[in-house]
PDB file of all heavy atoms in Angstrom:
ATOM      1  N   ALA A 113       0.876  -1.222   0.016  1.00 96.00           N
ATOM      2  CA  ALA A 113       0.007   0.024   0.007  1.00 96.00           C
ATOM      3  C   ALA A 113       0.901   1.231   0.010  1.00 96.00           C
ATOM      4  O   ALA A 113       1.467   1.621   1.032  1.00 96.00           O
ATOM      5  CB  ALA A 113      -0.931  -0.049   1.230  1.00 96.00           C
ATOM      6  N   GLN A 114       1.023   1.859  -1.177  1.00 94.00           N
ATOM      7  CA  GLN A 114       1.985   3.010  -1.294  1.00 94.00           C
ATOM      8  C   GLN A 114       1.323   4.246  -1.870  1.00 94.00           C
ATOM      9  O   GLN A 114       1.993   5.238  -2.032  1.00 94.00           O
ATOM     10  CB  GLN A 114       3.120   2.595  -2.248  1.00 94.00           C
ATOM     11  CG  GLN A 114       4.037   1.528  -1.676  1.00 94.00           C
ATOM     12  CD  GLN A 114       5.133   1.123  -2.589  1.00 94.00           C
ATOM     13  OE1 GLN A 114       4.951   1.065  -3.829  1.00 94.00           O
ATOM     14  NE2 GLN A 114       6.281   0.874  -2.073  1.00 94.00           N
ATOM     15  N   ASP A 115       0.011   4.250  -2.086  1.00 92.00           N
ATOM     16  CA  ASP A 115      -0.591   5.363  -2.734  1.00 92.00           C
ATOM     17  C   ASP A 115      -2.064   5.479  -2.294  1.00 92.00           C
ATOM     18  O   ASP A 115      -2.616   4.593  -1.655  1.00 92.00           O
ATOM     19  CB  ASP A 115      -0.558   5.176  -4.279  1.00 92.00           C
ATOM     20  CG  ASP A 115      -0.540   6.497  -5.053  1.00 92.00           C
ATOM     21  OD1 ASP A 115      -0.638   7.538  -4.369  1.00 92.00           O
ATOM     22  OD2 ASP A 115      -0.397   6.502  -6.283  1.00 92.00           O
ATOM     23  N   THR A 116      -2.634   6.639  -2.658  1.00 90.00           N
ATOM     24  CA  THR A 116      -4.017   6.874  -2.391  1.00 90.00           C
ATOM     25  C   THR A 116      -4.671   7.389  -3.600  1.00 90.00           C
ATOM     26  O   THR A 116      -4.011   7.713  -4.569  1.00 90.00           O
ATOM     27  CB  THR A 116      -4.240   7.875  -1.198  1.00 90.00           C
ATOM     28  OG1 THR A 116      -3.603   9.104  -1.581  1.00 90.00           O
ATOM     29  CG2 THR A 116      -3.610   7.334   0.078  1.00 90.00           C
ATOM     30  N   GLY A 117      -5.999   7.536  -3.570  1.00 82.00           N
ATOM     31  CA  GLY A 117      -6.732   8.113  -4.794  1.00 82.00           C
ATOM     32  C   GLY A 117      -8.062   8.552  -4.439  1.00 82.00           C
ATOM     33  O   GLY A 117      -8.719   8.026  -3.477  1.00 82.00           O
ATOM     34  N   GLY A 118      -8.549   9.592  -5.129  1.00 74.00           N
ATOM     35  CA  GLY A 118      -9.832  10.163  -4.854  1.00 74.00           C
ATOM     36  C   GLY A 118     -10.998   9.203  -4.939  1.00 74.00           C
ATOM     37  O   GLY A 118     -11.992   9.296  -4.209  1.00 74.00           O
ATOM     38  N   ALA A 119     -10.903   8.234  -5.792  1.00 79.00           N
ATOM     39  CA  ALA A 119     -12.023   7.239  -5.995  1.00 79.00           C
ATOM     40  C   ALA A 119     -11.806   5.940  -5.190  1.00 79.00           C
ATOM     41  O   ALA A 119     -12.581   5.054  -5.246  1.00 79.00           O
ATOM     42  CB  ALA A 119     -12.136   6.872  -7.469  1.00 79.00           C
ATOM     43  N   ILE A 120     -10.725   5.910  -4.422  1.00 89.00           N
ATOM     44  CA  ILE A 120     -10.358   4.687  -3.667  1.00 89.00           C
ATOM     45  C   ILE A 120     -10.902   4.878  -2.262  1.00 89.00           C
ATOM     46  O   ILE A 120     -10.208   5.449  -1.392  1.00 89.00           O
ATOM     47  CB  ILE A 120      -8.887   4.424  -3.680  1.00 89.00           C
ATOM     48  CG1 ILE A 120      -8.317   4.527  -5.115  1.00 89.00           C
ATOM     49  CG2 ILE A 120      -8.561   3.013  -3.158  1.00 89.00           C
ATOM     50  CD1 ILE A 120      -9.056   3.668  -6.117  1.00 89.00           C
ATOM     51  N   ARG A 121     -12.072   4.349  -2.021  1.00 91.00           N
ATOM     52  CA  ARG A 121     -12.725   4.536  -0.718  1.00 91.00           C
ATOM     53  C   ARG A 121     -13.281   3.174  -0.262  1.00 91.00           C
ATOM     54  O   ARG A 121     -13.998   2.489  -1.022  1.00 91.00           O
ATOM     55  CB  ARG A 121     -13.857   5.541  -0.805  1.00 91.00           C
ATOM     56  CG  ARG A 121     -13.433   6.985  -1.092  1.00 91.00           C
ATOM     57  CD  ARG A 121     -12.698   7.572   0.169  1.00 91.00           C
ATOM     58  NE  ARG A 121     -12.244   8.904  -0.121  1.00 91.00           N
ATOM     59  CZ  ARG A 121     -10.997   9.233  -0.394  1.00 91.00           C
ATOM     60  NH1 ARG A 121     -10.131   8.242  -0.551  1.00 91.00           N
ATOM     61  NH2 ARG A 121     -10.613  10.495  -0.562  1.00 91.00           N
ATOM     62  N   GLY A 122     -12.959   2.814   0.943  1.00 93.00           N
ATOM     63  CA  GLY A 122     -13.476   1.606   1.550  1.00 93.00           C
ATOM     64  C   GLY A 122     -12.411   0.554   1.883  1.00 93.00           C
ATOM     65  O   GLY A 122     -11.247   0.687   1.436  1.00 93.00           O
ATOM     66  N   ALA A 123     -12.771  -0.413   2.703  1.00 95.00           N
ATOM     67  CA  ALA A 123     -11.815  -1.331   3.195  1.00 95.00           C
ATOM     68  C   ALA A 123     -11.363  -2.392   2.153  1.00 95.00           C
ATOM     69  O   ALA A 123     -10.190  -2.762   2.127  1.00 95.00           O
ATOM     70  CB  ALA A 123     -12.392  -2.128   4.393  1.00 95.00           C
ATOM     71  N   VAL A 124     -12.272  -2.789   1.303  1.00 96.00           N
ATOM     72  CA  VAL A 124     -11.937  -3.796   0.234  1.00 96.00           C
ATOM     73  C   VAL A 124     -12.020  -3.116  -1.122  1.00 96.00           C
ATOM     74  O   VAL A 124     -12.900  -3.338  -1.945  1.00 96.00           O
ATOM     75  CB  VAL A 124     -12.850  -5.016   0.364  1.00 96.00           C
ATOM     76  CG1 VAL A 124     -12.472  -5.856   1.535  1.00 96.00           C
ATOM     77  CG2 VAL A 124     -14.277  -4.668   0.421  1.00 96.00           C
ATOM     78  N   ARG A 125     -11.033  -2.274  -1.345  1.00 97.00           N
ATOM     79  CA  ARG A 125     -10.981  -1.418  -2.605  1.00 97.00           C
ATOM     80  C   ARG A 125      -9.514  -1.106  -2.847  1.00 97.00           C
ATOM     81  O   ARG A 125      -8.801  -0.702  -1.900  1.00 97.00           O
ATOM     82  CB  ARG A 125     -11.836  -0.169  -2.399  1.00 97.00           C
ATOM     83  CG  ARG A 125     -11.776   0.832  -3.557  1.00 97.00           C
ATOM     84  CD  ARG A 125     -12.578   0.364  -4.686  1.00 97.00           C
ATOM     85  NE  ARG A 125     -12.669   1.409  -5.760  1.00 97.00           N
ATOM     86  CZ  ARG A 125     -11.814   1.468  -6.830  1.00 97.00           C
ATOM     87  NH1 ARG A 125     -10.806   0.592  -6.943  1.00 97.00           N
ATOM     88  NH2 ARG A 125     -11.977   2.398  -7.726  1.00 97.00           N
ATOM     89  N   ALA A 126      -9.092  -1.171  -4.091  1.00 97.00           N
ATOM     90  CA  ALA A 126      -7.698  -0.879  -4.418  1.00 97.00           C
ATOM     91  C   ALA A 126      -7.573  -0.522  -5.893  1.00 97.00           C
ATOM     92  O   ALA A 126      -8.462  -0.843  -6.709  1.00 97.00           O
ATOM     93  CB  ALA A 126      -6.780  -2.076  -4.128  1.00 97.00           C
ATOM     94  N   ASP A 127      -6.493   0.245  -6.201  1.00 96.00           N
ATOM     95  CA  ASP A 127      -6.109   0.589  -7.524  1.00 96.00           C
ATOM     96  C   ASP A 127      -4.731   0.004  -7.739  1.00 96.00           C
ATOM     97  O   ASP A 127      -3.822   0.266  -6.942  1.00 96.00           O
ATOM     98  CB  ASP A 127      -6.099   2.150  -7.672  1.00 96.00           C
ATOM     99  CG  ASP A 127      -6.588   2.608  -8.987  1.00 96.00           C
ATOM    100  OD1 ASP A 127      -7.164   1.860  -9.747  1.00 96.00           O
ATOM    101  OD2 ASP A 127      -6.496   3.851  -9.257  1.00 96.00           O
ATOM    102  N   PHE A 128      -4.561  -0.822  -8.763  1.00 97.00           N
ATOM    103  CA  PHE A 128      -3.390  -1.615  -9.029  1.00 97.00           C
ATOM    104  C   PHE A 128      -2.474  -0.817 -10.029  1.00 97.00           C
ATOM    105  O   PHE A 128      -2.966  -0.479 -11.072  1.00 97.00           O
ATOM    106  CB  PHE A 128      -3.748  -2.988  -9.583  1.00 97.00           C
ATOM    107  CG  PHE A 128      -2.588  -3.936  -9.765  1.00 97.00           C
ATOM    108  CD1 PHE A 128      -2.271  -4.825  -8.744  1.00 97.00           C
ATOM    109  CD2 PHE A 128      -1.928  -4.017 -10.956  1.00 97.00           C
ATOM    110  CE1 PHE A 128      -1.242  -5.739  -8.933  1.00 97.00           C
ATOM    111  CE2 PHE A 128      -0.898  -4.911 -11.127  1.00 97.00           C
ATOM    112  CZ  PHE A 128      -0.524  -5.811 -10.131  1.00 97.00           C
ATOM    113  N   PHE A 129      -1.245  -0.563  -9.662  1.00 95.00           N
ATOM    114  CA  PHE A 129      -0.342   0.176 -10.564  1.00 95.00           C
ATOM    115  C   PHE A 129       0.316  -0.746 -11.554  1.00 95.00           C
ATOM    116  O   PHE A 129       1.086  -1.635 -11.177  1.00 95.00           O
ATOM    117  CB  PHE A 129       0.671   0.959  -9.699  1.00 95.00           C
ATOM    118  CG  PHE A 129       1.678   1.755 -10.555  1.00 95.00           C
ATOM    119  CD1 PHE A 129       1.203   2.768 -11.335  1.00 95.00           C
ATOM    120  CD2 PHE A 129       2.992   1.435 -10.549  1.00 95.00           C
ATOM    121  CE1 PHE A 129       2.117   3.528 -12.131  1.00 95.00           C
ATOM    122  CE2 PHE A 129       3.887   2.174 -11.373  1.00 95.00           C
ATOM    123  CZ  PHE A 129       3.431   3.193 -12.135  1.00 95.00           C
ATOM    124  N   TRP A 130       0.081  -0.410 -12.855  1.00 95.00           N
ATOM    125  CA  TRP A 130       0.585  -1.257 -13.922  1.00 95.00           C
ATOM    126  C   TRP A 130       1.928  -0.800 -14.555  1.00 95.00           C
ATOM    127  O   TRP A 130       2.569  -1.563 -15.242  1.00 95.00           O
ATOM    128  CB  TRP A 130      -0.442  -1.386 -15.055  1.00 95.00           C
ATOM    129  CG  TRP A 130      -1.602  -2.313 -14.718  1.00 95.00           C
ATOM    130  CD1 TRP A 130      -2.820  -2.019 -14.289  1.00 95.00           C
ATOM    131  CD2 TRP A 130      -1.503  -3.774 -14.714  1.00 95.00           C
ATOM    132  NE1 TRP A 130      -3.578  -3.115 -14.061  1.00 95.00           N
ATOM    133  CE2 TRP A 130      -2.793  -4.254 -14.322  1.00 95.00           C
ATOM    134  CE3 TRP A 130      -0.550  -4.705 -15.060  1.00 95.00           C
ATOM    135  CZ2 TRP A 130      -3.059  -5.635 -14.255  1.00 95.00           C
ATOM    136  CZ3 TRP A 130      -0.813  -6.055 -14.997  1.00 95.00           C
ATOM    137  CH2 TRP A 130      -2.093  -6.483 -14.558  1.00 95.00           C
ATOM    138  N   GLY A 131       2.358   0.429 -14.295  1.00 91.00           N
ATOM    139  CA  GLY A 131       3.594   0.879 -14.853  1.00 91.00           C
ATOM    140  C   GLY A 131       3.355   2.085 -15.731  1.00 91.00           C
ATOM    141  O   GLY A 131       2.416   2.881 -15.600  1.00 91.00           O
ATOM    142  N   THR A 132       4.286   2.241 -16.730  1.00 89.00           N
ATOM    143  CA  THR A 132       4.367   3.449 -17.555  1.00 89.00           C
ATOM    144  C   THR A 132       4.107   3.110 -19.068  1.00 89.00           C
ATOM    145  O   THR A 132       4.520   2.081 -19.527  1.00 89.00           O
ATOM    146  CB  THR A 132       5.728   4.107 -17.426  1.00 89.00           C
ATOM    147  OG1 THR A 132       5.971   4.456 -16.066  1.00 89.00           O
ATOM    148  CG2 THR A 132       5.864   5.350 -18.294  1.00 89.00           C
ATOM    149  N   GLY A 133       3.395   3.987 -19.731  1.00 86.00           N
ATOM    150  CA  GLY A 133       3.245   3.890 -21.169  1.00 86.00           C
ATOM    151  C   GLY A 133       1.942   3.225 -21.596  1.00 86.00           C
ATOM    152  O   GLY A 133       1.056   2.864 -20.835  1.00 86.00           O
ATOM    153  N   SER A 134       1.848   3.074 -22.950  1.00 85.00           N
ATOM    154  CA  SER A 134       0.605   2.681 -23.576  1.00 85.00           C
ATOM    155  C   SER A 134       0.161   1.260 -23.191  1.00 85.00           C
ATOM    156  O   SER A 134      -1.004   1.001 -22.951  1.00 85.00           O
ATOM    157  CB  SER A 134       0.654   2.815 -25.101  1.00 85.00           C
ATOM    158  OG  SER A 134       1.726   2.059 -25.602  1.00 85.00           O
ATOM    159  N   GLU A 135       1.136   0.327 -23.113  1.00 89.00           N
ATOM    160  CA  GLU A 135       0.760  -1.076 -22.741  1.00 89.00           C
ATOM    161  C   GLU A 135       0.203  -1.132 -21.392  1.00 89.00           C
ATOM    162  O   GLU A 135      -0.836  -1.785 -21.101  1.00 89.00           O
ATOM    163  CB  GLU A 135       1.956  -1.937 -22.931  1.00 89.00           C
ATOM    164  CG  GLU A 135       1.671  -3.430 -22.649  1.00 89.00           C
ATOM    165  CD  GLU A 135       2.838  -4.354 -22.899  1.00 89.00           C
ATOM    166  OE1 GLU A 135       3.798  -3.925 -23.600  1.00 89.00           O
ATOM    167  OE2 GLU A 135       2.758  -5.498 -22.379  1.00 89.00           O
ATOM    168  N   ALA A 136       0.812  -0.431 -20.450  1.00 91.00           N
ATOM    169  CA  ALA A 136       0.319  -0.350 -19.048  1.00 91.00           C
ATOM    170  C   ALA A 136      -1.048   0.330 -19.014  1.00 91.00           C
ATOM    171  O   ALA A 136      -1.967  -0.061 -18.233  1.00 91.00           O
ATOM    172  CB  ALA A 136       1.309   0.373 -18.122  1.00 91.00           C
ATOM    173  N   GLY A 137      -1.237   1.322 -19.903  1.00 88.00           N
ATOM    174  CA  GLY A 137      -2.514   2.022 -19.990  1.00 88.00           C
ATOM    175  C   GLY A 137      -3.620   1.127 -20.414  1.00 88.00           C
ATOM    176  O   GLY A 137      -4.750   1.260 -19.938  1.00 88.00           O
ATOM    177  N   VAL A 138      -3.367   0.222 -21.387  1.00 89.00           N
ATOM    178  CA  VAL A 138      -4.367  -0.690 -21.876  1.00 89.00           C
ATOM    179  C   VAL A 138      -4.805  -1.588 -20.680  1.00 89.00           C
ATOM    180  O   VAL A 138      -6.012  -1.837 -20.458  1.00 89.00           O
ATOM    181  CB  VAL A 138      -3.809  -1.499 -23.035  1.00 89.00           C
ATOM    182  CG1 VAL A 138      -4.791  -2.670 -23.375  1.00 89.00           C
ATOM    183  CG2 VAL A 138      -3.602  -0.663 -24.273  1.00 89.00           C
ATOM    184  N   LEU A 139      -3.838  -2.132 -19.971  1.00 93.00           N
ATOM    185  CA  LEU A 139      -4.185  -3.029 -18.822  1.00 93.00           C
ATOM    186  C   LEU A 139      -4.975  -2.283 -17.769  1.00 93.00           C
ATOM    187  O   LEU A 139      -5.983  -2.755 -17.245  1.00 93.00           O
ATOM    188  CB  LEU A 139      -2.930  -3.602 -18.258  1.00 93.00           C
ATOM    189  CG  LEU A 139      -2.220  -4.661 -19.137  1.00 93.00           C
ATOM    190  CD1 LEU A 139      -0.821  -4.922 -18.636  1.00 93.00           C
ATOM    191  CD2 LEU A 139      -3.002  -5.918 -19.241  1.00 93.00           C
ATOM    192  N   ALA A 140      -4.511  -1.040 -17.441  1.00 91.00           N
ATOM    193  CA  ALA A 140      -5.192  -0.266 -16.443  1.00 91.00           C
ATOM    194  C   ALA A 140      -6.569   0.103 -16.824  1.00 91.00           C
ATOM    195  O   ALA A 140      -7.517   0.024 -16.011  1.00 91.00           O
ATOM    196  CB  ALA A 140      -4.328   0.972 -16.142  1.00 91.00           C
ATOM    197  N   GLY A 141      -6.757   0.506 -18.109  1.00 85.00           N
ATOM    198  CA  GLY A 141      -8.039   0.907 -18.595  1.00 85.00           C
ATOM    199  C   GLY A 141      -9.097  -0.220 -18.633  1.00 85.00           C
ATOM    200  O   GLY A 141     -10.282   0.050 -18.516  1.00 85.00           O
ATOM    201  N   ARG A 142      -8.626  -1.482 -18.751  1.00 88.00           N
ATOM    202  CA  ARG A 142      -9.523  -2.567 -18.783  1.00 88.00           C
ATOM    203  C   ARG A 142      -9.778  -3.262 -17.449  1.00 88.00           C
ATOM    204  O   ARG A 142     -10.648  -4.066 -17.314  1.00 88.00           O
ATOM    205  CB  ARG A 142      -8.997  -3.619 -19.734  1.00 88.00           C
ATOM    206  CG  ARG A 142      -8.947  -3.166 -21.210  1.00 88.00           C
ATOM    207  CD  ARG A 142      -8.228  -4.194 -22.092  1.00 88.00           C
ATOM    208  NE  ARG A 142      -8.348  -3.835 -23.481  1.00 88.00           N
ATOM    209  CZ  ARG A 142      -7.660  -4.439 -24.432  1.00 88.00           C
ATOM    210  NH1 ARG A 142      -6.859  -5.449 -24.153  1.00 88.00           N
ATOM    211  NH2 ARG A 142      -7.807  -4.053 -25.691  1.00 88.00           N
ATOM    212  N   MET A 143      -9.029  -2.836 -16.412  1.00 92.00           N
ATOM    213  CA  MET A 143      -9.163  -3.561 -15.184  1.00 92.00           C
ATOM    214  C   MET A 143     -10.288  -3.069 -14.337  1.00 92.00           C
ATOM    215  O   MET A 143     -10.373  -1.891 -13.969  1.00 92.00           O
ATOM    216  CB  MET A 143      -7.812  -3.422 -14.327  1.00 92.00           C
ATOM    217  CG  MET A 143      -7.748  -4.330 -13.141  1.00 92.00           C
ATOM    218  SD  MET A 143      -6.115  -4.439 -12.415  1.00 92.00           S
ATOM    219  CE  MET A 143      -6.291  -5.837 -11.399  1.00 92.00           C
ATOM    220  N   ARG A 144     -11.167  -3.966 -14.073  1.00 91.00           N
ATOM    221  CA  ARG A 144     -12.327  -3.704 -13.157  1.00 91.00           C
ATOM    222  C   ARG A 144     -12.713  -5.064 -12.602  1.00 91.00           C
ATOM    223  O   ARG A 144     -13.819  -5.598 -12.946  1.00 91.00           O
ATOM    224  CB  ARG A 144     -13.477  -3.021 -13.916  1.00 91.00           C
ATOM    225  CG  ARG A 144     -14.528  -2.411 -13.060  1.00 91.00           C
ATOM    226  CD  ARG A 144     -15.582  -1.678 -13.831  1.00 91.00           C
ATOM    227  NE  ARG A 144     -16.606  -1.156 -12.967  1.00 91.00           N
ATOM    228  CZ  ARG A 144     -16.506  -0.014 -12.292  1.00 91.00           C
ATOM    229  NH1 ARG A 144     -15.444   0.695 -12.338  1.00 91.00           N
ATOM    230  NH2 ARG A 144     -17.500   0.378 -11.515  1.00 91.00           N
ATOM    231  N   GLN A 145     -11.899  -5.592 -11.722  1.00 94.00           N
ATOM    232  CA  GLN A 145     -12.079  -6.974 -11.249  1.00 94.00           C
ATOM    233  C   GLN A 145     -12.526  -6.937  -9.759  1.00 94.00           C
ATOM    234  O   GLN A 145     -12.447  -5.958  -9.077  1.00 94.00           O
ATOM    235  CB  GLN A 145     -10.719  -7.657 -11.297  1.00 94.00           C
ATOM    236  CG  GLN A 145      -9.910  -7.445 -12.543  1.00 94.00           C
ATOM    237  CD  GLN A 145     -10.570  -7.896 -13.814  1.00 94.00           C
ATOM    238  OE1 GLN A 145     -10.970  -7.066 -14.616  1.00 94.00           O
ATOM    239  NE2 GLN A 145     -10.656  -9.174 -14.008  1.00 94.00           N
ATOM    240  N   GLN A 146     -12.988  -8.080  -9.298  1.00 96.00           N
ATOM    241  CA  GLN A 146     -13.266  -8.286  -7.928  1.00 96.00           C
ATOM    242  C   GLN A 146     -12.017  -8.895  -7.277  1.00 96.00           C
ATOM    243  O   GLN A 146     -11.262  -9.635  -7.913  1.00 96.00           O
ATOM    244  CB  GLN A 146     -14.462  -9.234  -7.722  1.00 96.00           C
ATOM    245  CG  GLN A 146     -15.787  -8.603  -8.087  1.00 96.00           C
ATOM    246  CD  GLN A 146     -16.172  -7.456  -7.138  1.00 96.00           C
ATOM    247  OE1 GLN A 146     -16.265  -7.594  -5.956  1.00 96.00           O
ATOM    248  NE2 GLN A 146     -16.264  -6.282  -7.725  1.00 96.00           N
ATOM    249  N   GLY A 147     -11.798  -8.497  -6.034  1.00 97.00           N
ATOM    250  CA  GLY A 147     -10.571  -9.043  -5.378  1.00 97.00           C
ATOM    251  C   GLY A 147     -10.772  -9.109  -3.834  1.00 97.00           C
ATOM    252  O   GLY A 147     -11.719  -8.531  -3.309  1.00 97.00           O
TER     253      GLY A 147
END
């Protein structure tokens, strides 16, 4: 846990950091999983 975000609220909620650039952007843009 190294970051925070305006839309990240709640105990079972996270934003996963994929890295830099377009390939990471594709993965980030498509990610909406349960965890």
Side-chain angles (χ1 to χ4, degrees):
Q114 293 179 323
D115 207 355
T116 60
I120 313 305
R121 293 288 179 263
V124 287
R125 176 76 173 92
D127 219 7
F128 186 92
F129 179 62
W130 282 102
T132 301
S134 57
E135 185 175 342
V138 169
L139 290 167
R142 292 174 175 170
M143 190 167 194
R144 193 175 178 83
Q145 320 297 109
Q146 289 294 299

